[in-house]
Amino acid sequence: MAAFRVSPQVPAFSVEPGGAAQVPMVVVNDGTVVDRYVPTISGELAQWCWMEPAAVPLMPGTEAVTVLHCEPPREPSTRAGEGPLLVQFVAESDPAVSYAVQLLATVLAYVELEALIVPTSSVGVWRAHHRLIVQNFGNVTTAVTVSGADSEARVRFTFRPPVLRLGPGQKAATRVTELAQRTKLGHERIEVVCSATADTGAVAETRAFFIQRRLRARWVAAVAIVVAAIVAWFVVKPSNGLAKAKTPRLQITSGSSATAKPGKFIDFTLQAQGLGSIGFSGTPPCNLIIGTDAAGNNAILGTPASGCRGGRFTLTAQDALTSVKQLFTLNISATTTSSSSSSSSSSSSSSSSSSSSTSSSSSSSSSSSTSTTASGTTSTTSQVTTSSSASATTAPGTTTTAVAATTTTT
């Protein structure tokens, strides 16, 4: 009579793809006949499992050990996870007599990356382009982050996209742009390393070369022109906060003498504001000059010449730092007012005593009042504020000089 039993040493086991697992089992012949027991394996991992020995011969009342071997390949098709594994033994003397052993088998997960960069060398003056291809040879889906580096930290890398999501056996590509600083005008060969890092920690690296072409003379000249233009823009171009400070502003105010008369010294102060010191130039009429008054201020100074009718002249204000100029048209004008007298007398033709007889004379004098004003206009690039006022009464026959200002900007 055939009878037997099988006892596995463990009810469950795990195995890593590419590795191996063994589960010993003890077979006991409880029958009364000599028998031979043949195992068969079924389940998801059955294709990678076998028993050793393949058949177990036993005398009645004896036992023997057989071992289950499981070696799944390290391939993306070997999916990770748990599954049942059934081992059934059949008595050769009586196929109706069998014994089944059920085990729980677990295939472990793994991630294995491979990276390839094409082309292996790229040529450019400032930048180069590559394609980084990453493939997942693991048996689970993973997120892969790509990065780049060079030994001198001169290259800046841009990846599009920077993260790849790869399933088992899948591959994807990202575009790599490398921008490198130059240290020489000639050819340079820079080795770059691109890395692919999975969320499990698995890393794959690949190397390529960025060959910087010789910097031609026209490139050097173009770069120099661009740099010079940028520097000039920041120096000369007024910004929102410094617009008023970078453009000279002129203000004409009355000084020690508000009324300009021939023979009387005048002092009209010239004030301006800019980034640097402001210089004034011009040639006023009536023997007036542009100089510095006692307080150290720029001023229109001098004593107007008698009989001067004035005239129009251009006053230039220039910022010494930015070379910004403003032109002010100043008009120095003179007006003359005279008085007439009428007298009536009666005289006799005889002697000088009759000249002392009655005479009446009436004279009328007219007084004139002039004021010195300066007014300014505002141009599109500057704000000019000018103000000066004074009034005086002059004697008959005198000339009064007034100053008026308009502005233009260059």
Side-chain angles (χ1 to χ4, degrees):
M1 177 180 178
F4 70 98
R5 66 183 185 273
V6 181
S7 300
Q9 289 188 355
V10 292
F13 69 94
S14 61
V15 60
E16 182 179 355
Q22 295 87 29
V23 180
M25 300 182 186
V26 179
V27 182
V28 180
N29 184 359
D30 293 327
T32 58
V33 296
V34 177
D35 215 335
R36 187 168 179 265
Y37 307 104
V38 179
T40 58
I41 305 171
S42 61
E44 292 185 5
L45 300 182
Q47 57 181 326
W48 303 306
C49 298
W50 71 94
M51 299 296 296
E52 187 180 7
V56 182
L58 287 175
M59 297 292 290
T62 61
E63 64 182 35
V65 176
T66 182
V67 179
L68 170 69
H69 294 269
C70 187
E71 295 181 2
R74 195 174 181 84
E75 295 177 353
S77 58
T78 307
R79 301 303 172 92
E82 296 180 347
L85 187 66
L86 183 65
V87 181
Q88 187 169 12
F89 292 82
V90 177
E92 196 173 65
S93 62
D94 186 359
V97 179
S98 65
Y99 195 96
V101 176
Q102 186 168 345
L103 302 173
L104 181 63
T106 301
V107 178
L108 300 179
Y110 78 97
V111 173
E112 185 176 314
L113 300 179
E114 183 177 286
L116 175 66
I117 191 169
V118 290
T120 55
S121 63
S122 185
V123 182
V125 177
W126 301 103
R127 67 183 63 202
H129 300 282
H130 293 89
R131 287 180 69 243
L132 178 63
I133 303 172
V134 183
Q135 185 168 4
N136 177 20
F137 286 98
N139 60 354
V140 291
T141 301
T142 183
V144 180
T145 302
V146 291
S147 60
D150 66 291
S151 59
E152 299 180 5
R154 291 172 46 198
V155 181
R156 187 177 66 189
F157 294 84
T158 303
F159 296 90
R160 297 181 180 176
V163 178
L164 303 173
R165 187 168 183 83
L166 302 176
Q170 290 184 343
K171 65 179 177 180
T174 180
R175 180 178 175 84
V176 186
T177 301
E178 300 141 11
L179 181 64
Q181 300 175 355
R182 297 200 66 95
T183 58
K184 300 178 182 178
L185 296 180
H187 284 281
E188 281 194 270
R189 184 182 177 92
I190 305 172
E191 185 180 29
V192 296
V193 180
C194 291
S195 303
T197 305
D199 52 9
T200 60
V203 179
E205 292 185 350
T206 182
R207 299 174 183 271
F209 291 95
F210 176 10
I211 301 176
Q212 284 188 305
R213 283 202 308 262
R214 183 186 304 276
L215 196 61
R216 298 180 182 177
R218 61 186 181 89
W219 281 100
V220 177
V223 171
I225 292 174
V226 171
V227 172
I230 293 175
V231 172
W233 188 90
F234 277 105
V235 172
V236 178
K237 181 71 175 179
S239 61
N240 293 335
L242 299 176
K244 295 184 179 179
K246 289 187 178 181
T247 304
R249 294 187 297 159
L250 181 67
Q251 184 178 15
I252 302 178
T253 60
S254 59
S256 59
S257 176
T259 303
K261 298 180 181 179
K264 183 177 180 180
F265 183 78
I266 67 170
D267 179 358
F268 290 107
T269 302
L270 301 175
Q271 298 177 348
Q273 182 178 354
L275 285 180
S277 59
I278 304 298
F280 295 93
S281 59
T283 305
C286 298
N287 291 336
L288 301 179
I289 62 171
I290 298 175
T292 306
D293 59 16
N297 300 319
N298 292 309
I300 298 178
L301 307 170
T303 303
S306 178
C308 176
R309 296 294 180 180
R312 186 184 298 269
F313 80 103
T314 300
L315 175 66
T316 302
Q318 181 172 358
D319 191 315
L321 180 61
T322 63
S323 298
V324 176
K325 292 182 180 180
Q326 269 194 284
L327 301 181
F328 300 88
T329 303
L330 300 184
N331 184 27
I332 298 180
S333 61
T335 59
T336 302
T337 305
S338 63
S339 64
S340 62
S341 64
S342 63
S343 65
S344 60
S345 64
S346 63
S347 63
S348 60
S349 60
S350 54
S351 62
S352 61
S353 59
S354 63
S355 66
S356 62
S357 60
T358 306
S359 67
S360 63
S361 64
S362 62
S363 64
S364 62
S365 62
S366 62
S367 62
S368 63
S369 172
T370 62
S371 62
T372 304
T373 62
S375 60
T377 62
T378 303
S379 68
T380 57
T381 61
S382 65
Q383 180 179 357
V384 180
T385 306
T386 62
S387 62
S388 172
S389 64
S391 64
T393 304
T394 62
T398 64
T399 302
T400 301
T401 306
V403 180
T406 59
T407 64
T408 58
T409 303
T410 60

